Amino acid sequence: MKKTLVVAASLLILAAFFGVMAMTLTFGSPKMTDMDDYFLRHGQEQTGSNNECTAVVFDFRGFDTLGESTVLFCAIIGVALMFRKMQGGEEYEDE
Amino acid sequence: MSRIVRTAADILYPAILIFGLYIVAHGHLTPGGGFQGGAVIATAGALVIVAFSYKEVTGWLTKNVLMGQEVIGLVGFIGVALLALAFGQVFFFNYLAGSGSLFGMPVPYGINAGELNTAGVLPLMNFAVGIEVWGGLTIVILYMLSGLEKEGC
């Protein structure tokens, strides 16, 4: 009985929270648009890319993509390490 | 797997490969890019690994080649970015865009018919990241399968 009350109360609080958020926040019209406008106006002539996403990901924020590639590399090294160990013992396959 | 699955995998493998390479090559014109195209190509490898047995697959899909692909992709990505220093620019500068050489056609502002020969270093970086993701995601599946190999997969 007490458990259901707690669950109902927390659900109500969550619903009120998200309801107030959805009512008051305005989506699609941010206050600061300087950076977006810069990307949209100069992205095509500065990078020559029609796809604005690629222009941002690989050119304007290239360091971010470098970090992503490094994270992927580290994850794969971790998987390789784990499953090589699971294969058992000192024998390492060399193919 | 059964003969039907093997035949379907045989037919689908080159088609998925071509579609993934198309997504990588058109990364600067259409939605997609290196990561997405590499993931699509990795599904082709996953399909073949699922359809055939471990022994048959590792005859031509070796871990060394895939790990080499991954390393070449990451080193190529950093190398293309570092090459900007040779042109007297900063790290990650797009030195090929609008220069008239390889991938250097200027692009007019606004709506235009997409030209493949544009965007400077972005296609090169797309290819490098695509090769890296291709090798990386395939080798993850291969390593997981080799961990299960003892159970008789």
Side-chain angles (χ1 to χ4, degrees):
Chain A
M1 192 62 198
K2 209 171 173 187
K3 220 170 194 177
T4 44
L5 262 180
V6 169
V7 168
S10 48
L11 272 180
L12 258 179
I13 290 172
L14 264 179
F17 180 71
F18 284 114
V20 167
M21 283 289 182
M23 293 295 184
T24 52
L25 285 181
T26 54
F27 293 104
S29 52
K31 278 179 187 147
M32 310 283 282
T33 60
D34 298 346
M35 207 177 212
D36 318 348
D37 289 342
Y38 181 83
F39 285 157
L40 289 176
R41 280 205 198 93
H42 302 277
Q44 243 174 345
E45 57 172 309
Q46 283 184 355
T47 69
S49 166
N50 276 344
N51 189 354
E52 204 57 43
C53 287
T54 307
V56 170
V57 164
F58 280 100
D59 198 309
F60 291 118
R61 299 195 175 167
F63 279 100
D64 189 71
T65 308
L66 181 62
E68 266 180 58
S69 305
T70 316
V71 164
L72 182 72
F73 193 79
C74 285
I76 286 153
I77 298 253
V79 168
L81 193 68
M82 196 168 76
F83 280 94
R84 173 175 284 180
K85 197 93 182 198
M86 260 178 70
Q87 217 156 15
E90 282 89 273
E91 43 172 299
Y92 289 122
E93 55 177 351
D94 46 11
E95 46 107 12
Chain B
M1 285 280 168
S2 69
R3 184 178 291 256
I4 297 171
V5 177
R6 287 167 180 239
T7 312
D10 272 344
I11 295 170
L12 276 177
Y13 183 68
I16 297 175
L17 224 60
I18 289 167
F19 183 65
L21 281 175
Y22 153 75
I23 288 183
V24 173
H26 286 243
H28 55 293
L29 298 175
T30 56
F35 278 97
Q36 293 87 346
V40 167
I41 299 175
T43 60
L47 178 67
V48 166
I49 290 170
V50 165
F52 294 88
S53 71
Y54 182 77
K55 286 269 157 47
E56 283 174 309
V57 167
T58 44
W60 57 276
L61 202 66
T62 59
K63 285 174 189 161
N64 276 349
V65 171
L66 291 171
M67 195 54 109
Q69 262 186 26
E70 200 194 336
V71 172
I72 284 171
L74 188 54
V75 169
F77 182 68
I78 299 173
V80 168
L82 265 181
L83 214 60
L85 299 179
F87 287 82
Q89 301 290 351
V90 291
F91 193 53
F92 267 113
F93 187 80
N94 198 340
Y95 46 89
L96 282 178
S99 65
S101 57
L102 181 71
F103 294 125
M105 265 180 61
V107 173
Y109 176 75
I111 299 168
N112 57 345
E115 185 71 40
L116 206 59
N117 194 18
T118 55
V121 297
L122 299 193
L124 301 175
M125 286 178 173
N126 266 326
F127 271 113
V129 172
I131 289 171
E132 189 205 341
V133 174
W134 173 7
L137 292 187
T138 314
I139 204 173
V140 163
I141 300 165
L142 212 57
Y143 262 117
M144 288 184 172
L145 190 61
S146 77
L148 289 172
E149 193 204 5
K150 286 264 165 73
E151 327 262 316
C153 210

